[in-house]
Amino acid sequence: MTLFGELERTKVVFIDTCRNLVELGQLSKNEYYEICDLLDRLEEYDNEQFKAELSRISKGLSDLID
Amino acid sequence: MSLSELEPIYEVPMDVSAERQILGILIKHPTQVDRVVDRLRASHFLDPANRRIYEIILDLYHKQGRISYTQIYNRLRTDSITDSPAELLIPLTESFVALSELDPSVQTLLHKEGIRRLVQASDTIKAMALDPKNEDLQAVQAKAQELIFAASQSLDASGDEVKNLLEVLNKCYINLLNRREGLGDAYGLSVRFPSIDGMTTGFKKKDLIILAARPSMGKTALALNMVANVAKRDIPVLIFSLEMDDEQLGDRIVLSELFAHKAGDQHVITSREYQTKLSDEQFLVTQKVFSELYPLPISIVDRRGLTVPEIRAKARKFKAEHPSLGLIVIDYLQLIKPPNNASRSWTLIVGEMVRELRDLAGELDVPLILLSQLNRGVESRENKRPMMSDLRDSGNIEEFADVIMFLYRDDYYYPEVAREKGTEGLVEVIFAKQRKGATGTVQLRFVKEYTRFIEETTRQNGVRP
């Protein structure tokens, strides 16, 4: 699979996980949509900026990834 | 009959891999939607999940929304398409290929769709042919041709719908050069009557030409003269004769060609002699004419009561067998069998038939001459020259025709006056409408004994009577 394919696959898995967290009450819908937006604009961020933005949206999720 | 009803004796032609590749490319490069939106419909995607994803992509595109996996994921969930959108989307991420694969993948889907349509058409034809209720074999054959033709049409029309001015002017410029150098078919089809060709610059491809007159004015004779002139240049012509049978037409063509062997004012063979018994000398001349006519590429369909769909089917078949078909003649409009639709007015029905025949000319890329009667209104006027309003009872002919020609003979109505004035046999060819040229009147001479039109030297170009 191409690098792009890998990245998109990871995004789909990630968003799927976030959606499950919404259903479990671990993530609000607003947070979820902000994460979607963040993923769609991923190319605008470097690694550190992405972590910071994710942490701003959901500290818990950011900690989970770390 | 839908695809699901097809007998399961073969696998439905499809390519899920190509479907996924297209979707993967469109998600990665949303601007490419422009390149496929008018070529692929959702129905080109046979896999239901892929079809739905394509619909979502088009919807997002039309609403100027962002096209991304997350957006599609959310739409799949909110539209309750599936509880696990990731299972549908992950295969797409795995099948992403280079952008250059987009066109080949689109072609693959168009190809598969083309095969499916042919299979579907042939199954429908089979069911129709085996249905004991369908007793009219010719109707079944006509319908079968329609189905096959429709199934054979290119599904990818994106290339010829929108043309920029540069393309159009390029074609105009090439035509201009060709006309200047007298090359190719820059002009329309010449019928070898200089006065008529001068008015029309030749009958143009895709044009519907109406040749209308009251009975006995010489409509069929002029049409046959033009047909023979065209066919002598080895251009195939197809005649639908709904009034005369093939032998009557053949005799007419022979008779009119005998005119060329006329010596001065002496008739070689009169119409009556041809129809009765010829002398040995006359027979030899006639045999020579037959020899000249044998190789002409003229084909005749002489079945009465043809419908427009039947005419269309036969013309399509002929065109497929003779791609260089140059002219179609239908003699005549009022004898075409209308569709069974008693609830609509005659005017509407005829208008629809004329429109369909114009579309046929466009589809087959040939000029189509449609002969037509005129209503009796002509007879009640003092000036009996036909006018556009005389076609009014015949649907929207005026609207759909590209060229409308009327024939008028003074000697038909006023034989004594014509004899005194020396205008016997003079025929006015009135160009009442020309979408691509001027209106006006030209004159021909009708030699009744030979049903032959010849050029008249005095012309009245551009003058309305």
Side-chain angles (χ1 to χ4, degrees), chain B residues 76-97:
Chain B
L76 287 170
R77 274 197 82 97
T78 53
D79 293 355
S80 303
I81 307 294
T82 172
D83 289 334
S84 50
E87 287 179 20
L88 301 182
L89 293 176
I90 285 174
L92 297 190
T93 66
E94 290 168 350
S95 61
F96 175 73
V97 289

Side-chain angles (χ1 to χ4, degrees), chain A residues 1-2 4-5 8-9 12-13 15-16 19 23 32-33 36-37 39-41, chain B residues 24 27-28 66 68-71 73-74 77-78 85-86 89-90 93-94 96:
Chain A
M1 202 191 326
T2 63
F4 172 78
E8 294 301 314
R9 184 177 192 279
V12 172
V13 173
I15 208 70
D16 199 40
R19 187 74 219 184
E23 286 178 5
Y32 171 77
Y33 286 118
C36 288
D37 193 48
L39 290 179
D40 279 347
R41 294 187 290 110
Chain B
I27 296 170
K28 164 72 173 161
R66 185 189 300 147
S68 69
Y69 280 102
T70 51
Q71 298 298 324
Y73 178 98
N74 287 329
R77 274 197 82 97
T78 53
L89 293 176
I90 285 174
T93 66
E94 290 168 350
F96 175 73

Side-chain angles (χ1 to χ4, degrees), chain B residues 353-364:
Chain B
M353 292 187 335
V354 173
R355 188 188 59 75
E356 287 180 26
L357 292 173
R358 183 201 59 179
D359 291 348
L360 178 66
E363 178 191 312
L364 301 185

Side-chain angles (χ1 to χ4, degrees), chain B residues 109-308:
Chain B
L109 292 206
L110 290 171
H111 177 79
K112 298 290 179 193
E113 168 78 354
I115 294 174
R116 288 197 297 270
R117 283 163 51 122
L118 279 175
V119 170
Q120 196 171 346
S122 57
D123 280 9
T124 306
I125 291 167
K126 184 179 170 187
M128 193 170 63
L130 295 175
D131 185 344
K133 283 182 284 185
N134 291 330
E135 289 176 352
D136 185 348
L137 178 60
Q138 286 184 326
V140 173
Q141 287 170 331
K143 181 68 182 164
Q145 282 187 7
E146 291 250 319
L147 286 167
I148 289 295
F149 187 82
S152 309
Q153 290 295 288
S154 170
L155 302 174
D156 182 6
S158 61
D160 56 10
E161 283 179 353
V162 181
K163 296 163 184 165
N164 65 36
L165 185 61
L166 182 67
E167 284 177 70
V168 175
L169 289 182
N170 261 340
K171 286 196 278 187
C172 294
Y173 187 67
I174 289 168
N175 283 341
L176 184 72
L177 289 178
N178 285 343
R179 283 198 296 272
R180 195 171 142 81
E181 294 171 23
L183 295 174
D185 58 354
Y187 291 96
L189 181 74
S190 164
V191 290
R192 292 295 192 263
F193 284 105
S195 53
I196 292 179
D197 290 338
M199 282 297 286
T200 62
T201 64
F203 291 138
K204 312 295 182 298
K205 288 177 179 177
K206 303 181 194 296
D207 274 4
L208 175 67
I209 298 121
I210 302 293
L211 175 55
R214 289 291 294 156
S216 301
M217 284 289 161
K219 292 185 296 294
T220 304
L222 179 57
L224 288 179
N225 286 182
M226 292 194 286
V227 162
N229 290 349
V230 169
K232 282 175 189 170
R233 280 138 47 216
D234 211 23
I235 300 171
V237 183
L238 178 61
I239 305 172
F240 289 93
S241 177
L242 286 76
E243 185 181 38
M244 295 186 191
D245 65 27
D246 53 352
E247 289 174 33
Q248 286 174 301
L249 285 186
D251 284 340
R252 280 248 190 156
I253 293 172
V254 171
L255 199 56
S256 76
E257 290 303 310
L258 279 168
F259 178 80
H261 298 269
K262 180 171 171 280
D265 288 338
Q266 295 300 306
H267 296 312
V268 177
I269 300 163
T270 64
S271 169
R272 183 176 166 71
E273 286 167 336
Y274 179 81
Q275 300 293 347
T276 52
K277 192 175 178 185
L278 300 176
S279 68
D280 289 347
E281 189 186 352
Q282 288 172 326
F283 186 70
L284 280 176
V285 173
T286 310
Q287 269 189 322
K288 190 163 181 281
V289 168
F290 269 85
S291 305
E292 290 165 1
L293 290 174
Y294 276 135
L296 297 193
I298 298 172
S299 301
I300 298 167
V301 178
D302 66 347
R303 190 154 71 82
R304 293 181 184 198
L306 281 172
T307 62
V308 171

Side-chain angles (χ1 to χ4, degrees), chain B residues 378-397:
Chain B
V378 180
E379 312 293 339
S380 57
R381 286 199 303 267
E382 191 177 341
N383 184 347
K384 301 186 189 308
R385 287 179 177 80
M387 301 189 299
M388 292 281 252
S389 57
D390 298 322
L391 285 169
R392 291 259 162 82
D393 288 348
S394 304
N396 308 31
I397 290 184

